[in-house]
C-alpha cells in the first residue's frame, strides 16, 4: 500500500509539473482514436450485417420439407421475436389454354422481416416499395411470367383449383435466388389461399421456411436453443448463408475497416514508445534520491508498476470515453450517408481501449521502468554517471511481442497479419540502415557547409542513436499515413472499379443450345452487344480422391452441403476475367484433357490440393478430373462464375444449358421482354437491387475509412511531437551553451530546422517507397484487386516528410531556443 500511495502522489506531482503530459496525451490520442474507430466501425459493421440479413429476408431462417413445428414459432414469439412463414414449390399455372411453370411462394403477413418488397403497377414501369403481402384472392407475378403468357396486370391466373387476380408486377424480393437454379418466374401469393388451391397434399415436394427477426442477442440465444432441437431435414440459415456477391462485398468491407483500425494501432505504439522513453529517463534522478533515502529495489519496482497500471487504467477509461463521444459526432455528421439511424455500439471497443492502453504501456514503457531499479544512488552526486540502459533485445522483444499480439487481436486475419508484419519488419530494417547511413554521412559532409548546416548535421551525427530512432519513428509514422492514403484512394477506387456503373444487372439463364444462335441474333437486332455465354452442366460430386463422398472425412458444414446437392460445372478455354489464378497452371486454350480448376475456398473446405481428383456423375454417366489449378473468384463481379471448371472437350457432349450476365439500361429493357416472349423457357433475373446492396456496402466502408484518416492523422502528429519531445531537455541545454558563447538565436533555430528537414526528407523517401510496396502486396494478396500506384505518391512522400517533420520539429523546439540561457543554466 505505501508503494501505491507514493505512486499516486508522484503521478499527481508529475501531472501538475507537465512531466507526463506528452505520455498522457499520446495514450489518450492512441486509445481515443482507436476506440472512436472501433465504436464507429462496430456500428457500421452491425448496420452492414443487418443489411446482409435482407438476403435471407430475416435474421434467421429455418428450412424443412415439412410444416414448421408450431412449438418453434411459439417459443420465438415468447422471446419477443418477429416471425413469418414461407411455403415454396414449383407449379404449373395457366391462363386459358396457355400454361407456364412458376415458382410459387406463399407467405404470411409480415414477410419479409428484413428488407422490402418492390412491385410495379405494370410491366417495366417504375418500381416502389410496399410493406404488405398479397391479400387473399390476389397474386403478384414477375415480369417473365406475364411476358410468356401475354398477360397484363388485372388478368386472372389459374393456380391449382383457384383463379387468382394478378394485381401487381413483382420486381424484387430480398431472398430471391441469384444463382442458376431459379428456372421459373416467381408468383407471390397469400399462404391462406394454399388449402383451397389443392396444390399441397401429403407427399408434395415443397419447402417450408420459418423466418425470425429480433435483437441480435435474442436471435443468438434462440438459434442456440433451436439448434439443439432440430430434426432430420431441418436446416438453419443465418447471415453466413447470404449470397456470394453480398457476403463477398461485406468481407472485403470488413478487411478495409480492419486495415484502417490497424493504422491507428501502429501509430499509437510509436507515439507512446517515444513518450515513454522520455518519461522513464526523467525519473532517473528521483529514483537515485529514493535509494539514497533507503528505498529498496523492490519498492522502486512496485512504484513503477503501480504508475504504469494507474496510467493504463486512467488513459484507457478516458480515451474510451473520448472515442465513444467522438463516434456519436461522426454518426451525426454521416447520418444521411450511412442510411440514417445506426445500431448502438457494443461494449467490445471499450474493452479494446483498456487492453490497448495496458498493452502499449507494458510493451514500450515497462522495460525502461524495470531498468530504473538498477539506478546507482551515487548518481545524486555524479550527474555525469549515465543511467542504466535497457538491453536492446529486451526492449525490442517486448515491443515486437506486444505489437504482433495487438495486430493479431485487431486483424483476426493471418494473411493480412503476415503482410503487415512483414512490411513493417522490412521497413524497420531499411529505416535503421538508412538512419545509420545518414549519421555516418552527416559526420563527413558537415565541414563544407554553413554555420546553420554544420550545427544541424552535427546534431544528427552527435546524437547518432537518437537520430536513428527518429528516422525510424518518422518513417514508420509517415508510411502508415501514406499507406492509409493509398487505402483510402487507390485501393477503394480499385474496389469500386471492380463494380463499374455498367456492371451486369441481369442474369439470363436456361438458354438451350439450339436457342443460342437466335438469342445472339436478337441482341444484335436490338443494337445490344451480345454478352459472352457460358455453358452450364448439372452434376453431382460422387468421389474425393476415389473415396465415395458418404465416406469422405469432411466436417465443414458448407462443404458437406455441397456434396449433398447438385453442382454447377462449366468448361472454358481461358481463365475467366473475374477469376485469379492462385496456384498451379491453367490449361492452354487449344488443349484437351481431364484437368479441372477449382475455387480455392471450396478446395480448402474439402481438403483438396493440386493433383487430387474429383469424381462426378452427369446424367447418370461417371466423370472424373484431376485438379491442376485453384482460382480466387470475384463473386461480387456479377459475372457467371463456377466452383469447378473443366477443360473443353471433356464435358462438351453432356446435356447443358447456357447462362450469361449483361448490362441493360432501364430504358432499353424491351429487349429482355422480347427475349422471354420468343423463348419462354429462358429466365431473366434482375440484379439491380443486389448491385445496390453491394454498392452501399462499398460506400459505407469508404466513408468509414475516410473518417478514420482524420483520427489517424492526429495520431501521426502526436508521433512527430513525441519524437521531438524526447530530446527537448538536451536541446535546451545545448542552446543555452551556444548562446552563452555568442551564437545568435536565429543560427541555432536554422540549425534545428536543417536537422529535422534532413530527417524528414529521408524518412519521407523511405515511407513513400514502403507505402507503395505494402499497398501493392495488400491489393494483390489480400484484397484481390488490380493496383496501379499513383506516381505523385513518390513525390509527395519526401515533400510531406520534410514539411511535417521540419514544421513539427521547429514548433516543438522553438520555445527551447527562445528560453533565456541564464534560466536554463541556473536550473
Amino acid at each position: 500500500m505505501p508503494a501505491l500511495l507514493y505512486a499516486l502522489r508522484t503521478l499527481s506531482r508529475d501531472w501538475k509539473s507537465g512531466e507526463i503530459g506528452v505520455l498522457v496525451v499520446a495514450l489518450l490520442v492512441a486509445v481515443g482514436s482507436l476506440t472512436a474507430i472501433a465504436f464507429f466501425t462496430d456500428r457500421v459493421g452491425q448496420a452492414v450485417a443487418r443489411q446482409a440479413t435482407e438476403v435471407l429476408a430475416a435474421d434467421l431462417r429455418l428450412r424443412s420439407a415439412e410444416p414448421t413445428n408450431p412449438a418453434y414459432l411459439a417459443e420465438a414469439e415468447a422471446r419477443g421475436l418477429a416471425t413469418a412463414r414461407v411455403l415454396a414449390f414449383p407449379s404449373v399455372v395457366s391462363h386459358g389454354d396457355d400454361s407456364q411453370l412458376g415458382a410459387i411462394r406463399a407467405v404470411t403477413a409480415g414477410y419479409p422481416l428484413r428488407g422490402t418488397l418492390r412491385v410495379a403497377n405494370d410491366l417495366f414501369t417504375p418500381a416502389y416499395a410496399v410493406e404488405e403481402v398479397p391479400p387473399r384472392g390476389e397474386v403478384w407475378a414477375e415480369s417473365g411470367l406475364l411476358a410468356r403468357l401475354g398477360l397484363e396486370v388485372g388478368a386472372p391466373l389459374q393456380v391449382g383449383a383457384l383463379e387468382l387476380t394478378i394485381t401487381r408486377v413483382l420486381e424484387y424480393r430480398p431472398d430471391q435466388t441469384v444463382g442458376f437454379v431459379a428456372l421459373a418466374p416467381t408468383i407471390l401469393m397469400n399462404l391462406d389461399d394454399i388449402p383451397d388451391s389443392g396444390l399441397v397434399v401429403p407427399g408434395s415436394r415443397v419447402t417450408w421456411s420459418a423466418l425470425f427477426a429480433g435483437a441480435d442477442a435474442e436471435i443468438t440465444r434462440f438459434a442456440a436453443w433451436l439448434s439443439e432441437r432440430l430434426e432430420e431435414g431441418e436446416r438453419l440459415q443465418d447471415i453466413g448463408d447470404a449470397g456470394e456477391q453480398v457476403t463477398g462485398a461485406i468481407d472485403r468491407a470488413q478487411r478495409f475497416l480492419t486495415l484502417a483500425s490497424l493504422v491507428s494501432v501502429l501509430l499509437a505504439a510509436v507515439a507512446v514508445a517515444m513518450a515513454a522513453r522520455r518519461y522513464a529517463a526523467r525519473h532517473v534522478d528521483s529514483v537515485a534520491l529514493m535509494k539514497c533515502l533507503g528505498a529498496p529495489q523492490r519498492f522502486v519496482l512496485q512504484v513503477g508498476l503501480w504508475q504504469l497500471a494507474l496510467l493504463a487504467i486512467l488513459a484507457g477509461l478516458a480515451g474510451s470515453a473520448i472515442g465513444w463521444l467522438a463516434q456519436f459526432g461522426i454518426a451525426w455528421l454521416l447520418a444521411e450517408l450511412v442510411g440514417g439511424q445506426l445500431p448502438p455500439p457494443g461494449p467490445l471497443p471499450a474493452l479494446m481501449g483498456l487492453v490497448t492502453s495496458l498493452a502499449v504501456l507494458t510493451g514500450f514503457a515497462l522495460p525502461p521502468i524495470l531498468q530504473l531499479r538498477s539506478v546507482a544512488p551515487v548518481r545524486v552526486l555524479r550527474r555525469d554517471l549515465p543511467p542504466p540502459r535497457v538491453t536492446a533485445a529486451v526492449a525490442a522483444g517486448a515491443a515486437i511481442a506486444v505489437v504482433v499480439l495487438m495486430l493479431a487481436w485487431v486483424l483476426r486475419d493471418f494473411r493480412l497479419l503476415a503482410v503487415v508484419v512483414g512490411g513493417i519488419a522490412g521497413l524497420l530494417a531499411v529505416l535503421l540502415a538508412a538512419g545509420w547511413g545518414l549519421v555516418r554521412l552527416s559526420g563527413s559532409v558537415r565541414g563544407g557547409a554553413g554555420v546553420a548546416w554544420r550545427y544541424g548535421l552535427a546534431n544528427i551525427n552527435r546524437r547518432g542513436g537518437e537520430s536513428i530512432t527518429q528516422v525510424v519513428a518518422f518513417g514508420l509514422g509517415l508510411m502508415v499515413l501514406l499507406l492509409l492514403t493509398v487505402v483510402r484512394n487507390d485501393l477503394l477506387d480499385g474496389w469500386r472499379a471492380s463494380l463499374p456503373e455498367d456492371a451486369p444487372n441481369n442474369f439470363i439463364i436456361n438458354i438451350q443450345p439450339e436457342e443460342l444462335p437466335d438469342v445472339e441474333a436478337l441482341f444484335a437486332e436490338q443494337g445490344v452487344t451480345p454478352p459472352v455465354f457460358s455453358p452450364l452442366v448439372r452434376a453431382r460430386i460422387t468421389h474425393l480422391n476415389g473415396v465415395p463422398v458418404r465416406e469422405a472425412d469432411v466436417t465443414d458444414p458448407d462443404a458437406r452441403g455441397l456434396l449433398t446437392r447438385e453442382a454447377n460445372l462449366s468448361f472454358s478455354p481461358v481463365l475467366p476475367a473475374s477469376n485469379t489464378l492462385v496456384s498451379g497452371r491453367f490449361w492452354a486454350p487449344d488443349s484437351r484433357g481431364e484437368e479441372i480448376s477449382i475455387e480455392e475456398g471450396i478446395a480448402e473446405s474439402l481438403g483438396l490440393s493440386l493433383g487430387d481428383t474429383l469424381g462426378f456423375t452427369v446424367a447418370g454417366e461417371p466423370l472424373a478430373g484431376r485438379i491442376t489449378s485453384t482460382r480466387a473468384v470475384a463473386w461480387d463481379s456479377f459475372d457467371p462464375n463456377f466452383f469447378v471448371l473443366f477443360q473443353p472437350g471433356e464435358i462438351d457432349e453432356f446435356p447443358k444449358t447456357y447462362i450469361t450476365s449483361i448490362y441493360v439500361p432501364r430504358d432499353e429493357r424491351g429487349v429482355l421482354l422480347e427475349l422471354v416472349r420468343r423463348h419462354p423457357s429462358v429466365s431473366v433475373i434482375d440484379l439491380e437491387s443486389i448491385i445496390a446492396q453491394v454498392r452501399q456496402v462499398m460506400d459505407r466502408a469508404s466513408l468509414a475509412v475516410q473518417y478514420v484518416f482524420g483520427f489517424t492523422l492526429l495520431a501521426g502528429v502526436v508521433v512527430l511531437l513525441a519524437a521531438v519531445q524526447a530530446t527537448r531537455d538536451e536541446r535546451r541545454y545545448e542552446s543555452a551553451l551556444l548562446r552563452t558563447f555568442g551564437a545568435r538565436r536565429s543560427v541555432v533555430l536554422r540549425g534545428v530546422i536543417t536537422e529535422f528537414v534532413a530527417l524528414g526528407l529521408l524518412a519521407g523517401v523511405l515511407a513513400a517507397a514502403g507505402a507503395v510496396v505494402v499497398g501493392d502486396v495488400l491489393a494483390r494478396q489480400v484484397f484481390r484487386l488490380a493496383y496501379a500506384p499513383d506516381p505523385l505518391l513518390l513525390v509527395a512522400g519526401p515533400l510531406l516528410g520534410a514539411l511535417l517533420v521540419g514544421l513539427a520539429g521547429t514548433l516543438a523546439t522553438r520555445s527551447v531556443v527562445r528560453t533565456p540561457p541564464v534560466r536554463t543554466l541556473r536550473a
Side-chain angles (χ1 to χ4, degrees):
M1 186 59 69
L4 173 60
L5 295 176
Y6 185 79
L8 285 170
R9 284 199 298 267
T10 54
L11 275 181
S12 176
R13 184 170 63 248
D14 290 344
W15 172 257
K16 292 177 182 178
S17 64
E19 290 291 322
I20 59 172
V22 176
L23 179 59
V24 171
V25 170
L27 277 174
L28 288 178
V29 170
V31 177
S33 61
L34 182 62
T35 53
I37 296 162
F39 277 124
F40 181 63
T41 54
D42 178 67
R43 299 181 71 185
V44 172
Q46 290 184 58
V48 168
R50 288 191 180 184
Q51 180 181 339
T53 60
E54 295 181 10
V55 179
L56 298 176
D59 294 329
L60 196 66
R61 176 187 286 258
L62 174 65
R63 298 183 54 163
S64 65
E66 300 294 334
T68 304
N69 189 334
Y72 298 164
L73 298 171
E75 179 66 22
E77 292 171 358
R79 293 171 179 261
L81 301 179
T83 63
R85 287 178 292 152
V86 179
L87 173 62
F89 58 94
S91 177
V92 174
V93 296
S94 61
H95 176 80
D97 295 332
D98 297 324
S99 61
Q100 169 66 41
L101 178 67
I104 305 293
R105 297 186 70 85
V107 298
T108 60
Y111 169 87
L113 300 181
R114 298 294 186 200
T116 56
L117 290 168
R118 296 184 63 82
V119 298
N121 291 327
D122 211 334
L123 283 171
F124 300 110
T125 59
Y128 57 91
V130 294
E131 296 183 358
E132 69 270 15
V133 299
R136 296 195 64 177
E138 298 181 10
V139 294
W140 299 346
E142 286 186 342
S143 57
L145 179 78
L146 276 64
R148 293 167 191 173
L149 294 178
L151 301 179
E152 297 181 351
V153 172
L157 186 70
Q158 193 72 30
V159 181
L162 282 177
E163 183 177 271
L164 305 176
T165 304
I166 302 172
T167 55
R168 288 173 181 172
V169 179
L170 179 63
E171 290 285 344
Y172 170 73
R173 55 185 175 83
D175 53 347
Q176 68 185 26
T177 303
V178 187
F180 310 133
V181 295
L183 301 182
T186 298
I187 301 163
L188 196 69
M189 60 185 291
N190 197 295
L191 185 61
D192 291 337
D193 278 331
I194 289 296
D196 296 333
S197 71
L199 291 173
V200 179
V201 296
S204 298
R205 295 178 61 85
V206 299
T207 300
W208 293 87
S209 297
L211 310 184
F212 309 96
D216 294 342
E218 195 56 52
I219 282 290
T220 301
R221 287 191 288 267
F222 178 68
W225 178 88
L226 195 56
S227 297
E228 297 175 353
R229 292 162 176 80
L230 291 181
E231 298 179 1
E232 185 176 356
E234 295 179 332
R235 181 190 174 197
L236 269 182
Q237 293 178 299
D238 57 17
I239 181 176
D241 299 289
E244 290 94 347
Q245 289 82 7
V246 175
T247 53
I250 292 169
D251 177 69
R252 193 172 281 174
Q254 290 172 342
R255 286 172 178 256
F256 275 117
L257 298 181
T258 297
L259 182 60
S261 298
L262 163 68
V263 172
S264 290
V265 174
L266 296 178
L267 287 178
V270 174
V272 172
M274 301 298 294
R277 287 183 58 193
R278 180 172 184 264
Y279 173 72
R282 292 178 65 87
H283 276 71
V284 171
D285 292 335
S286 61
V287 170
L289 183 59
M290 288 169 56
K291 286 193 171 184
C292 287
L293 297 176
Q297 284 191 357
R298 185 179 61 182
F299 181 80
V300 174
L301 178 60
Q302 289 175 346
V303 169
L305 293 177
W306 274 116
Q307 288 177 333
L308 286 181
L310 291 171
L311 278 175
I313 294 172
L314 293 175
L317 293 175
S320 297
I322 292 172
W324 184 75
L325 292 173
Q327 61 84 24
F328 277 112
I330 301 172
W332 179 75
L333 290 172
L334 305 180
E336 294 184 2
L337 297 177
V338 295
Q341 186 68 36
L342 290 173
L348 185 60
L351 175 62
M352 180 184 294
L354 283 170
V355 173
T356 299
S357 179
L358 183 60
V360 169
L361 280 176
T362 300
F364 295 94
L366 184 58
I369 291 296
L370 291 176
Q371 204 69 16
L372 285 178
R373 62 180 179 174
S374 301
V375 172
V378 72
R379 181 175 165 84
V380 173
L381 300 176
R382 292 188 56 190
R383 298 295 299 277
D384 61 326
L385 188 67
R389 292 190 174 274
V390 182
T391 304
V394 174
I400 291 173
V402 167
V403 168
V404 171
L405 289 175
M406 288 178 62
L407 294 181
W409 185 41
V410 172
L411 294 177
R412 297 182 176 90
D413 185 322
F414 179 77
R415 176 180 291 176
L416 186 56
L417 177 65
V419 170
V420 172
V421 171
I424 293 173
L427 179 66
L428 284 176
V430 173
L431 288 172
L432 286 170
W436 180 83
L438 178 64
V439 170
R440 295 293 299 270
L441 182 64
S442 63
S444 60
V445 303
R446 70 174 186 265
V451 175
W453 276 92
R454 283 203 306 270
Y455 173 58
L457 295 176
N459 282 344
I460 295 175
N461 182 258
R462 183 171 60 255
R463 281 190 291 268
E466 293 292 340
S467 297
I468 293 174
T469 301
Q470 286 178 335
V471 168
V472 172
F474 295 149
L476 185 59
L478 289 170
M479 191 207 75
V480 291
L481 287 176
L482 291 174
L483 182 60
L484 185 56
T485 303
V486 169
V487 172
R488 190 184 62 162
N489 295 328
D490 298 342
L491 291 186
L492 285 174
D493 288 346
W495 188 19
R496 293 191 190 96
S498 69
L499 188 63
E501 290 300 320
D502 59 351
N505 59 357
N506 289 273
F507 263 126
I508 304 176
I509 64 176
N510 204 34
I511 305 171
Q512 301 300 318
E514 61 272 14
E515 295 176 312
L516 186 58
D518 189 57
V519 171
E520 292 177 323
L522 172 62
F523 281 112
E525 290 173 11
Q526 300 292 329
V528 178
T529 302
V532 176
F533 295 88
S534 300
L536 183 150
V537 176
R538 303 288 289 172
R540 185 177 293 275
I541 300 176
T542 59
H543 293 79
L544 302 178
N545 287 320
V547 179
V549 293
R550 62 179 178 274
E551 301 174 10
D553 184 19
V554 177
T555 57
D556 185 275
D558 293 332
R560 177 56 66 178
L562 179 66
L563 298 177
T564 57
R565 64 176 185 268
E566 286 194 316
N568 298 314
L569 310 182
S570 186
F571 54 90
S572 175
V574 296
L575 184 70
S578 55
N579 290 209
T580 303
L581 192 66
V582 175
S583 64
R585 58 171 181 81
F586 205 79
W587 44 80
D590 57 349
S591 66
R592 296 290 185 271
E594 298 181 352
E595 299 181 31
I596 61 175
S597 178
I598 187 170
E599 193 269 337
E600 61 172 343
I602 290 298
E604 182 178 353
S605 61
L606 292 177
L608 299 174
S609 58
L610 298 180
D612 290 342
T613 60
L614 274 175
F616 302 88
T617 177
V618 182
E621 296 291 327
L623 174 68
R626 180 173 54 87
I627 300 174
T628 58
S629 66
T630 61
R631 298 167 289 116
V633 177
W635 297 109
D636 54 1
S637 66
F638 291 93
D639 294 327
N641 282 304
F642 302 88
F643 289 117
V644 177
L645 286 178
F646 271 80
Q647 273 185 296
E650 186 65 21
I651 60 173
D652 302 30
E653 303 304 320
F654 284 103
K656 58 182 175 292
T657 59
Y658 285 87
I659 64 171
T660 189
S661 61
I662 186 173
Y663 173 74
V664 179
R666 184 157 290 276
D667 58 355
E668 299 179 13
R669 295 189 67 185
V671 65
L672 302 178
L673 180 61
E674 182 64 22
L675 174 64
V676 295
R677 282 177 174 165
R678 289 193 192 180
H679 303 280
S681 63
V682 174
S683 294
V684 178
I685 302 175
D686 189 349
L687 302 177
E688 288 281 0
S689 297
I690 303 296
I691 291 176
Q693 279 184 305
V694 174
R695 286 206 174 102
Q696 191 173 25
V697 171
M698 292 180 177
D699 291 340
R700 288 183 174 180
S702 174
L703 213 55
V705 170
Q706 290 180 27
Y707 275 85
V708 167
F709 181 77
F711 289 102
T712 309
L713 183 62
L714 179 60
V717 171
V718 176
V719 170
L720 301 179
L721 293 177
V724 173
Q725 287 285 344
T727 59
R728 275 179 62 91
D729 296 335
E730 188 175 350
R731 293 180 187 279
R732 183 182 291 112
Y733 185 66
E734 287 179 356
S735 174
L737 287 178
L738 288 171
R739 293 184 60 190
T740 300
F741 289 127
R744 294 192 306 274
R745 185 172 62 187
S746 60
V747 173
V748 178
L749 187 59
R750 286 201 303 270
V752 171
I753 294 173
T754 299
E755 175 187 355
F756 283 105
V757 167
L759 292 173
L761 188 64
L762 176 61
V765 170
L766 298 173
V772 169
V773 172
V774 176
D776 182 76
V777 175
L778 286 172
R780 301 182 190 281
Q781 300 299 322
V782 178
F783 296 110
R784 307 288 189 188
L785 294 173
Y787 173 65
D790 189 346
L792 291 177
L793 186 65
L794 297 176
V795 178
L799 294 179
L800 183 66
L803 179 63
L804 282 182
V805 176
L807 184 61
T810 301
L811 293 177
T813 57
R814 187 181 177 190
S815 60
V816 171
V817 176
R818 298 180 62 180
T819 302
V822 65
R823 183 187 303 173
T824 300
L825 295 176
R826 283 178 176 175

